[in-house]
Amino acid sequence: MQTLLQLLPPQIYAARPATGVPWTAPCVYVQDWPRFPWRGWMLDSVRHFFTKDEVKKLIDSLAFHKLNVFHWHLDDDSGCGWRSRNGRCSPR
Protein backbone atom coordinates (compact mmCIF):
# COMPACT_ATOMS: atom_id res chain seq x y z
CA MET A 1 0.00 0.00 0.00
CA GLN A 2 2.82 2.40 0.86
CA THR A 3 4.41 1.89 -2.55
CA LEU A 4 1.14 2.84 -4.24
CA LEU A 5 0.85 5.97 -2.10
CA GLN A 6 4.40 6.94 -3.04
CA LEU A 7 3.45 6.80 -6.73
CA LEU A 8 0.69 9.39 -6.21
CA PRO A 9 1.27 13.17 -5.98
CA PRO A 10 2.62 14.39 -2.60
CA GLN A 11 -0.72 16.10 -1.88
CA ILE A 12 -1.99 12.64 -0.90
CA TYR A 13 -0.49 13.33 2.54
CA ALA A 14 -2.18 16.73 2.96
CA ALA A 15 -4.46 17.25 5.93
CA ARG A 16 -7.25 18.57 3.68
CA PRO A 17 -8.40 17.27 0.29
CA ALA A 18 -6.48 18.93 -2.54
CA THR A 19 -8.19 20.14 -5.68
CA GLY A 20 -6.71 20.61 -9.13
CA VAL A 21 -4.29 17.72 -8.69
CA PRO A 22 -4.24 14.89 -11.23
CA TRP A 23 -4.86 11.82 -9.04
CA THR A 24 -3.28 9.30 -11.35
CA ALA A 25 -0.54 6.78 -10.78
CA PRO A 26 1.78 5.60 -13.53
CA CYS A 27 1.30 2.14 -14.95
CA VAL A 28 4.15 0.20 -13.38
CA TYR A 29 5.04 -3.31 -12.29
CA VAL A 30 5.93 -3.19 -8.59
CA GLN A 31 8.21 -5.82 -7.18
CA ASP A 32 8.73 -4.76 -3.59
CA TRP A 33 10.14 -6.54 -0.56
CA PRO A 34 12.31 -5.56 2.42
CA ARG A 35 15.97 -5.16 1.63
CA PHE A 36 16.88 -6.45 5.09
CA PRO A 37 15.04 -9.22 6.97
CA TRP A 38 15.01 -7.17 10.18
CA ARG A 39 14.37 -3.50 9.60
CA GLY A 40 12.54 -2.16 12.56
CA TRP A 41 12.13 -0.07 15.63
CA MET A 42 12.11 -0.75 19.36
CA LEU A 43 9.74 1.24 21.54
CA ASP A 44 10.78 1.22 25.20
CA SER A 45 7.65 2.13 27.11
CA VAL A 46 9.15 0.75 30.33
CA ARG A 47 11.39 3.77 30.85
CA HIS A 48 9.35 6.39 28.96
CA PHE A 49 5.57 6.83 28.86
CA PHE A 50 3.85 7.07 25.48
CA THR A 51 0.18 7.85 24.98
CA LYS A 52 -1.99 5.67 22.79
CA ASP A 53 -2.04 8.36 20.09
CA GLU A 54 1.76 8.61 20.12
CA VAL A 55 2.09 4.85 19.65
CA LYS A 56 -0.44 4.87 16.80
CA LYS A 57 1.42 7.74 15.12
CA LEU A 58 4.70 5.84 15.48
CA ILE A 59 3.21 2.70 13.92
CA ASP A 60 1.88 4.75 11.00
CA SER A 61 5.34 6.25 10.54
CA LEU A 62 6.92 2.78 10.59
CA ALA A 63 4.54 1.67 7.84
CA PHE A 64 5.31 4.81 5.83
CA HIS A 65 9.02 3.99 5.92
CA LYS A 66 8.33 0.29 5.23
CA LEU A 67 9.84 -1.00 8.45
CA ASN A 68 8.90 -4.64 8.95
CA VAL A 69 9.52 -5.23 12.69
CA PHE A 70 8.05 -3.44 15.70
CA HIS A 71 9.59 -4.53 19.01
CA TRP A 72 7.63 -3.18 21.95
CA HIS A 73 9.54 -3.35 25.24
CA LEU A 74 6.68 -3.61 27.74
CA ASP A 75 8.34 -5.21 30.77
CA ASP A 76 11.70 -4.76 32.46
CA ASP A 77 12.02 -7.58 34.96
CA SER A 78 15.62 -7.65 36.09
CA GLY A 79 14.89 -10.47 38.52
CA CYS A 80 15.14 -14.12 37.72
CA GLY A 81 13.12 -15.56 34.86
CA TRP A 82 11.01 -17.80 37.06
CA ARG A 83 11.14 -19.27 40.53
CA SER A 84 11.15 -22.90 41.47
CA ARG A 85 9.00 -24.35 44.26
CA ASN A 86 11.72 -23.75 46.85
CA GLY A 87 11.81 -20.03 46.02
CA ARG A 88 15.21 -20.02 44.34
CA CYS A 89 15.84 -18.51 40.94
CA SER A 90 16.02 -21.01 38.15
CA PRO A 91 18.11 -20.48 35.03
CA ARG A 92 16.38 -18.98 32.06
Side-chain angles (χ1 to χ4, degrees):
M1 189 68 188
Q2 292 302 319
T3 302
L4 176 63
L5 289 174
Q6 290 172 351
L7 292 172
L8 293 172
Q11 290 84 353
I12 191 76
Y13 298 109
R16 295 191 176 124
T19 58
V21 178
W23 292 106
T24 58
C27 181
V28 295
Y29 175 75
V30 177
Q31 189 173 1
D32 193 14
W33 62 85
R35 181 176 172 194
F36 303 104
W38 181 285
R39 185 170 177 227
W41 186 269
M42 184 187 93
L43 178 65
D44 188 358
S45 58
V46 174
R47 291 171 183 82
H48 307 284
F49 179 78
F50 295 93
T51 65
K52 181 174 76 170
D53 289 334
E54 288 173 325
V55 173
K56 289 166 72 174
K57 187 175 180 180
L58 173 69
I59 292 172
D60 287 342
S61 180
L62 297 177
F64 175 78
H65 293 288
K66 299 181 182 180
L67 299 181
N68 58 355
V69 176
F70 176 56
H71 177 89
W72 199 346
H73 192 185
L74 294 171
D75 185 23
D76 196 15
D77 181 14
S78 59
C80 57
W82 52 281
R83 296 191 181 275
S84 63
R85 291 183 185 201
N86 62 9
R88 295 184 182 166
C89 285
S90 300
R92 291 182 183 238

